[in-house]
């Protein structure tokens, strides 16, 4: 038998539910609108329009080395220039994640949210990776120029933890800093002496990128109108090499310790470099904001270099870099001759790296010292200190330095479609 009382209750509940849905309708509609503008699956089927496509090839660093030879040309299309070096170890070029933000250039640079965003994590790429990001037809209408923010391996520093990336503004991105890694421990040692499991942070900012002729209706056509953008690492690299002349007088030489002075490594540095335009991407936007840095009041202390790691060679002076010698050829020759010592990855700084190398000419001898000074440690630069013992009557450690642009072996291809 049908229970009319229960039917009345059910009807009342249904009416209440419908009222609740009606009250939520504007909110639901707003949520759908906000979601659709960033969705990779959005298609304006009512108007018979599909999404638009744009392709970018994000390539290896090809900028000129600023500290060593600012007037020398850099390599292009993955070819090393005179002042560029390959990564070593290979993990320096690994890609574990990528994020790309695209903004309209004609909107407020500080507060606007992106018109496109793409994130891929848990990657195992080595030097090259392709990622596809859609920009909806709606967002592409009357879109002449865009600003791009590209970040690889954000997890190495944890800068995006707890953040809603899809809503991040330019100001949010530009405020990201490296402060947990690539500095100095409380004990005075370098924080990062091996490549983190998540890889090294790599980034770039290109503003006012004219995409009028690059936005296409299909991916195939867009691929014929790609834009090349070089990325640069957000940190620098420091390491030491030592040789000795193969004579009896040097058989007991050793480096007892190495110290980098205090107040040269910043408390934090920018994740992203300053913005540049497409036309100036190889000569500008190569460092972060260096105008308001504060510095750690601690030295970096490296340990000893034993005699067996100071290799005997017939002529240590032959390992001084010669004028016009390719940087990669030089570092390859140096590695073949002797051991690499005390590798570390550091935040970029606008100060010279200064310090002292302490050494002995024999195990029972008096400890001596010699200062060193390296040009400013900008991001994406490899800094080498080469020291050698000649075993002559002067009995000293002689130092040479070089700073090269730190390149990658392969291109990183990012394809927006």
């Amino acid at each position: 038998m049908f229970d009319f009382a229960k039917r009345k209750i059910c009807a009342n509940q249904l009416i209440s539910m419908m009222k609740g849905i009606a009250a939520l309708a504007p909110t639901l509609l707003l949520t759908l609108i906000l979601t659709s503008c960033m969705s990779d699956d959005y298609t304006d089927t009512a108007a018979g329009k599909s999404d638009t496509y744009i392709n970018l090839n994000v390539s290896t660093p090809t900028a000129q080395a600023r500290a060593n030879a600012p007037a020398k040309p850099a390599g292009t299309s993955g070819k090393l220039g005179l002042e560029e070096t390959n990564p070593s170890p290979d993990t320096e070029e690994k890609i574990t994640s990528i994020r790309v933000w695209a903004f309209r250039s004609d909107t407020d640079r500080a507060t606007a949210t992106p018109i496109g965003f793409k994130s891929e994590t848990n990657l195992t790429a080595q030097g090259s990776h392709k990622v596809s990001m859609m920009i909806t037809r709606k967002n592409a209408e009357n879109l002449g120029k865009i600003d791009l923010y590209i970040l690889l391996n954000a997890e190495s520093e944890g800068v995006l933890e707890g953040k809603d990336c899809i809503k991040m503004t330019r100001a949010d991105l530009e405020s990201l800093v490296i402060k947990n890694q690539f500095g100095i421990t409380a004990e005075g040692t370098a924080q990062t002496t091996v490549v983190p499991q998540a890889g090294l942070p790599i980034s770039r900012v290109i503003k006012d990128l004219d995409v009028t002729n690059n936005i296409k209706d299909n991916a195939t056509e867009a691929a014929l109108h790609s834009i090349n953008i070089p990325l640069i690492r957000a940190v620098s690299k420091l390491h030491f090499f030592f040789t000795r002349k193969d004579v009896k007088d040097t058989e007991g030489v050793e480096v007892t310790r190495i110290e980098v002075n205090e107040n040269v490594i910043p408390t934090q540095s920018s994740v992203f470099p300053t913005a540049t335009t497409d036309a100036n991407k190889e000569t500008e936007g190569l460092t972060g904001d260096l105008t308001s840095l504060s510095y750690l009041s601690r030295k970096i202390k490296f340990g000893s270099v034993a005699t067996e790691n100071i290799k005997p060679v017939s002529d240590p002076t032959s390992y001084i870099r010669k004028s016009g010698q390719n940087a990669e050829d030089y570092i390859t020759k140096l590695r073949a001759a002797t051991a690499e010592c005390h590798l570390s990855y550091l935040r970029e700084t606008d100060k010279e790296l200064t310090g002292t190398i302490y050494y002995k000419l024999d195990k029972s001898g008096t400890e001596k010292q010699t200062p060193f000074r390296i040009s400013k440690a900008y991001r994406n630069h490899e800094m080498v200190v080469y020291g050698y013992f000649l075993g002559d009557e002067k009995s000293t450690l002689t130092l040479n330095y070089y700073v090269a642009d730190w390149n990658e072996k392969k291109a990183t291809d990012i394809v927006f479609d």
Side-chain angles (χ1 to χ4, degrees), residues 229-249:
I229 298 177
L231 300 178
I232 55 177
R233 292 175 180 83
V235 295
S236 65
K237 174 182 179 179
L238 170 66
H239 47 156
F240 299 80
F241 295 84
F242 298 95
T243 66
R244 62 183 178 87
K245 190 171 183 178
D246 191 7
V247 294
K248 186 173 181 59
D249 288 347

Side-chain angles (χ1 to χ4, degrees), residues 119-386:
S119 172
E120 290 186 6
T121 57
N122 299 316
L123 301 176
T124 57
Q126 184 72 15
S128 179
H129 179 67
K130 292 184 178 181
V131 64
S132 175
M133 184 179 77
M134 175 272 300
I135 295 181
T136 67
R137 173 76 60 172
K138 178 180 178 181
N139 281 326
E141 290 178 354
N142 301 316
L143 183 62
K145 295 182 178 181
I146 61 173
D147 297 345
L148 284 177
Y149 289 72
I150 303 169
L151 175 59
L152 274 59
N153 305 335
E155 289 76 10
S156 65
E157 174 63 20
V159 293
L160 298 178
E161 290 180 5
K163 299 184 183 297
D164 189 353
C165 293
I166 203 169
K167 296 180 180 178
M168 294 183 74
T169 65
R170 291 183 187 84
D172 293 332
L173 295 171
E174 291 168 6
S175 68
L176 296 177
V177 294
I178 296 172
K179 62 180 180 180
N180 299 317
Q181 296 295 327
F182 310 105
I184 309 171
T185 68
E187 292 74 31
T189 59
Q191 279 184 316
T192 311
T193 57
V194 296
V195 176
Q197 188 63 34
L200 296 171
I202 304 172
S203 59
R204 202 69 200 269
V205 181
I206 305 294
K207 66 179 180 180
D208 296 328
L209 184 64
D210 190 344
V211 294
T212 304
N213 297 320
N214 302 95
I215 296 179
K216 303 299 177 181
D217 290 332
N218 61 76
T220 302
E221 186 179 2
L224 300 175
H225 299 82
S226 297
I227 304 171
N228 297 315
I229 298 177
L231 300 178
I232 55 177
R233 292 175 180 83
V235 295
S236 65
K237 174 182 179 179
L238 170 66
H239 47 156
F240 299 80
F241 295 84
F242 298 95
T243 66
R244 62 183 178 87
K245 190 171 183 178
D246 191 7
V247 294
K248 186 173 181 59
D249 288 347
T250 67
E251 291 179 350
V253 297
E254 64 175 325
V255 172
T256 54
R257 69 185 190 277
I258 302 172
E259 294 180 345
V260 177
N261 289 336
E262 59 270 67
N263 297 316
V264 297
I265 303 300
T267 57
Q268 61 185 38
S269 60
S270 302
V271 169
F272 286 98
T274 57
T276 185
T277 61
D278 185 50
N280 298 315
K281 61 191 176 187
E282 293 192 3
T283 56
E284 295 179 359
L286 306 179
T287 69
D289 183 1
L290 303 173
T291 60
S292 57
L293 296 179
S294 57
Y295 303 90
L296 295 168
S297 58
R298 296 192 297 278
K299 293 183 177 181
I300 303 180
K301 301 175 182 178
F302 297 105
S304 63
V305 180
T307 303
E308 55 266 30
N309 289 325
I310 304 176
K311 303 298 183 182
V313 296
S314 58
D315 181 11
T317 62
S318 66
Y319 294 93
I320 299 172
R321 189 182 176 193
K322 298 175 177 60
S323 176
Q325 185 178 16
N326 181 280
E328 177 61 19
D329 292 343
Y330 173 69
I331 194 67
T332 299
K333 179 179 179 179
L334 204 55
R335 284 196 178 99
T338 191
E340 177 185 39
C341 305
H342 301 309
L343 171 65
S344 59
Y345 301 97
L346 302 170
R347 300 167 197 158
E348 74 170 336
T349 177
D350 61 342
K351 292 183 177 293
E352 292 182 320
L353 292 187
T354 59
T356 305
I357 297 177
Y358 298 86
Y359 63 95
K360 289 184 178 182
L361 298 175
D362 59 72
K363 302 294 183 183
S364 59
T366 303
E367 186 178 66
K368 300 175 180 291
Q369 65 183 63
T370 186
F372 65 87
R373 181 181 298 272
I374 310 174
S375 299
K376 296 175 183 178
Y378 295 120
R379 67 179 59 202
N380 201 57
H381 280 75
E382 178 175 5
M383 300 169 290
V384 169
V385 177
Y386 168 54

